[in-house]
Amino acid sequence: MSKQELVVLGQDAEGCCGRLAAAPLDEDQAADLAKVFKALGDPVRLRLLSMIASRDGGEVCVCELTPAFALSQPTISHHLKLLRQAGLVDCERRGTWVYYWVLPAALERLSAVLKAP
């Protein structure tokens, strides 16, 4: 894992996309949101995000996530990579293990976009 900082576009939900019911999305807004929803569209990734978000202390080691699935460790790592690329989680390597946490701003953005008027 690299130590590069992930830049999440559209941190400000109202400035980026607003609410779906407030006005139609333009092409760029729809493309940005589609990446996030595509990442969440897989049951494994949705479960991973839920497991990470619900963890006391706010972070979880990949070694604790892998046993919950009947999938190989590389497959779990691939799903986590897609969640990172979508800007939903971030991670840090500590020794041989990688720890993941949810990016609250990303969840707030989705919440604001989906919020009913």
Side-chain angles (χ1 to χ4, degrees), residues 67-85:
F69 299 90
L71 299 169
S72 67
Q73 186 276 325
T75 301
I76 296 298
S77 291
H78 171 73
H79 285 296
L80 290 166
K81 176 184 165 188
L82 294 176
L83 289 172
R84 272 193 351 266
Q85 289 174 339

Side-chain angles (χ1 to χ4, degrees), residues 11-28:
Q11 293 284 337
D12 177 17
E14 294 298 326
C16 162
C17 303
R19 293 187 197 156
L20 288 177
L25 298 173
D26 67 28
E27 286 184 41
D28 291 336

Side-chain angles (χ1 to χ4, degrees), residues 1 61-63 73 77 92-99:
M1 304 281 149
C61 178
V62 69
C63 64
Q73 186 276 325
S77 291
E92 176 183 70
R93 179 174 293 279
R94 298 178 195 157
T96 57
W97 299 112
V98 179
Y99 289 79

Side-chain angles (χ1 to χ4, degrees), residues 15 44 47 53 65 112 116:
V44 172
R47 283 187 61 208
L65 296 171

Side-chain angles (χ1 to χ4, degrees), residues 2-45:
S2 71
K3 295 261 183 186
Q4 296 178 13
E5 187 165 327
L6 180 64
V7 177
V8 179
L9 300 176
Q11 293 284 337
D12 177 17
E14 294 298 326
C16 162
C17 303
R19 293 187 197 156
L20 288 177
L25 298 173
D26 67 28
E27 286 184 41
D28 291 336
Q29 293 169 332
D32 287 343
L33 280 173
K35 291 175 189 174
V36 176
F37 286 120
K38 184 174 182 180
L40 292 174
D42 183 279
V44 172
R45 290 191 288 270

